[in-house]
Amino acid sequence: MEKTGVLSAKEAFEKLEKVGEGTYGKVYRAREKATGKIVALKKTRLHEDEEGVPPTTLREVSILRMLSRDPHVVRLMDVKQGQNKEGKTVLYLVFEYMDTDLKKFIRSFRQSGETIPPHIIKVILSICPSIFNIRFFFVHLFLSIWLQSLMYQLCKGVAFCHGHGILHRDLKPHNLLMDRKTMMLKIADLGLARAFTVPIKKYTHEILTLWYRAPEVLLGATHYSMAVDMWSVGCIFAELVTKQALFPGDSELQQLLHIFRLLGTPNEDVWPGVSKLMNWHEYPQWNPQSLSTAVPSLDELGLDLLSQMLKYEPSKRISAKKAMEHVYFDDLDKRHL
Amino acid sequence: MSVSCSNCFPDDDDSFLLCGEDSSGIIDSSPECSSDLDSPPPSEAEAESIAGFIEDERNFVPGFEYLNRFQSRSLDASAREESVAWILKVQAYYAFQPLTAYLSVNYLDRFLNSRQLPQTNGWPLQLLSVACLSLAAKMEEPLVPSLLDLQVEGAKYVFEPKTIRRMELLVLGVLDWRLRSVTPFSFLDFFACKLDSSGTFTGFLISRATQIILSNIQEASFLAYWPSCIAAASILHAANEIPNWSFVRPEHAESWCEGLRKEKVIGCYQLMQELVINNNRRKPPKVLPQLRVTSRPIMRSSVSSFSASSSFSPSSSLSCKRRKLNNSLWVDDDKGNSK
C-alpha cells in the first residue's frame, strides 16, 4: 500500500458524495486533501457488534494486500482509522476511484441502442490500429474489439488471482470496475474471496450471485476450485455480447434449469460424478443447443472460447491463463492491456 | 501501509483485568485434515499456483534474526511455547481447521518479530495470542465464537472485547494487514500428489503431515524453515510411516517444484525425527492446582506501542462487577458500562 495511515480519515479526505452501500457500510467518492486526488472511501463500521474487525473486511483487505499490484485488480491505497459522531471506531478503506462498473456500462449500452461513444472509438483505435487501416467502421467490428479488450483484461485479472491461490467466488458485472475514459477493467469486491490449497478443498456452497454460479456449486459440491470463477467469466462474456444475463434464474432450481435448457441436462458421460453430487435429482432431459442460439452475434472464435468456459466438468473448463492464450484474442495489441 | 494505532490504548482508558491463573497441563491435539482420496492429479494451473506460493512465502515468515533472539534468550521460548499450546487447545476445543491454529502462530511470530512486548510473558502475550487467534478464526472459519467465548481452555486472563479489538487493530497495523499467509498447508495436497500419483495414500499423507506440522509449531527451531520446506519434510515423514515406503528419501522432494532446496528439506526432516524421539521420552506434564490471582495492569498509551518503558501496577482494591467465565474472572471497566 502506498501510505501509512497517520492522519485520520476526516483530516485526510473531503467526502464528495455517497456512491454506494455495501454489507458493512457506505462507499463515498472523496478528494484527498493533500493531493487533490479523487478516491473511493469504503467505510467499515466496527461498532455494530463487539467482535472486532468483520471477517469480510479482513479477507478483502488481506487479499488486496497480496493482489493490488496487478493492474486488473482494484488498488487499495490505504486503510485509515477514524471515529464517527458517537465516538465509535470506523475503518476507511481507501481505493483508487473508478467511475463505473460493468453492470452500469452494459445498461448504458443497452439504453443507447448500441451506439458507440466517441471516446470508446478512440480507445479501440489505440488497442487495434489495424481497424483504422482497413477502414472497417462498422459498429459490430468496434464492439468486437471492445469486447475482446474487456474479456482479455478480465481473464488477466482472474489469472493473477488464481496464480496467487485466490478464488474470487463472486465475479459478476457489478464487481468489475471500469474507467470510462481508458476502458480499463479491474476486479473488485473480494469480500467473499478465499485462498485455496491445491488441488481442492471443502468450501461452503452458499456463495456467488445466482446468475453467475457454476453448476457444481448449484448441485451442492463442496469441493471446488478455480473453475467456479471461469464459469462466471463465461456468463459475463455472453452478457457483454447480448447485453442480457445468460442464465437469469430466480432460484437455485430455476438457475439449473436455465443452464440445462441451453447446455443440455448433464449425465455421467459428459460429467463423470455429477449424479453423486448432493443436490442431484432426476431433472427434465434437454439436448444441448448450439451456443450461437443464445449468443448469435458472437463470432466463431468467441463461441469456441465461451464453450470452453462453460464446460460442465470443472476439470475440463479452460483456465484463465489458457483463456488469455486463445486465438480469439490474437487481434489485440496486448501491450496496452 | 498501516492503520494508525497510536491511540489504541488511550491514557484515559481505565480498562483492567481480573484474572484467574490456570496451570493446567498442555493437551496434545492432533486434528484430522479432511481430504478426498480421489483428488485428481495436480493440473498445470495448480502447478502455477504452487510457483506463486513459493514466490510469495518469504513475505510471510519472520526473519532469521527472530529465531536468533530465542537462541540468545532475549525472547522467552517457553513463553512462546505456552502461548502456542493454548492456541492449539482452543483449536481442538472448537474443532477449528489446522490452518487456523497455524495462522494464529504465524501472526504471533510476525508481530513479535516487529514489536517488543512490554514483558515477554504474562498478560501482554496472552492478549496478543487471543487477538491473533481471533484474526485467524475470522479469516478461515465459517463460524467464529465471540471474543469472550474464544478465551477458554485455561486462558489465564480474560480480556474485554473492546481491549481485544484494539489489539486486533494493532496487530493488523504491524502485519500491514497481510493476513493471507502462505503456510505449509498451501503445499500439502500438491506434494502428496507428487509423491503418490496413484492417490492410494494421499488422504493418509495429508492427514498425518497435518498432525506432524501442528505438533511441531510449538518448537521455535522450525522458524528456520520456510513453509514449503516444512510441508515437504512433513509429507516425507508421513510417507516413512507407510509400510514398504522406506524408499522415499528427503532428496526426492527437490524435484517436486522449483524452489525446494534439498539440504533445507533434509535439515527440517531430521529436526522432525529428533522431536519425535524426544516427545516419546518426555514425561507427561505435572498438573498444578488452579490458582486464582487478581491483578490490574493499567493500559497506558505506552503499552499500545509496546515500548520498554511501559508500567504495570497491580491493584489491590477492586470495586467492580465480576463475571465468572470458564474458571477465569472477567470484569467490566471502571465506568461500569457492562456489555
Side-chain angles (χ1 to χ4, degrees), chain A residues 295-324:
Chain A
V295 196
S297 58
L298 189 58
D299 63 31
E300 212 173 306
L301 294 175
L303 286 168
D304 180 72
L305 177 57
L306 180 60
S307 71
Q308 293 190 55
M309 290 173 170
L310 298 178
K311 285 253 190 289
Y312 270 131
E313 195 179 346
S315 62
K316 297 275 193 290
R317 224 169 278 157
I318 195 168
S319 72
K321 194 159 188 285
K322 277 272 182 283
M324 287 168 68

Side-chain angles (χ1 to χ4, degrees), chain B residues 21-36:
Chain B
E21 196 162 302
D22 174 16
S23 308
S24 58
I26 292 163
I27 297 165
D28 186 22
S29 61
S30 50
E32 293 293 313
C33 170
S34 67
S35 178
D36 270 3

Side-chain angles (χ1 to χ4, degrees), chain B residues 204-205 208-209 211-212 234-246 269 276:
Chain B
F204 169 78
L205 289 171
R208 183 69 188 111
Q211 289 177 349
I212 291 164
S234 62
I235 285 284
L236 288 161
H237 204 289
N240 279 310
E241 293 178 19
I242 299 171
N244 306 323
W245 270 49
S246 55
Y269 178 79
V276 167

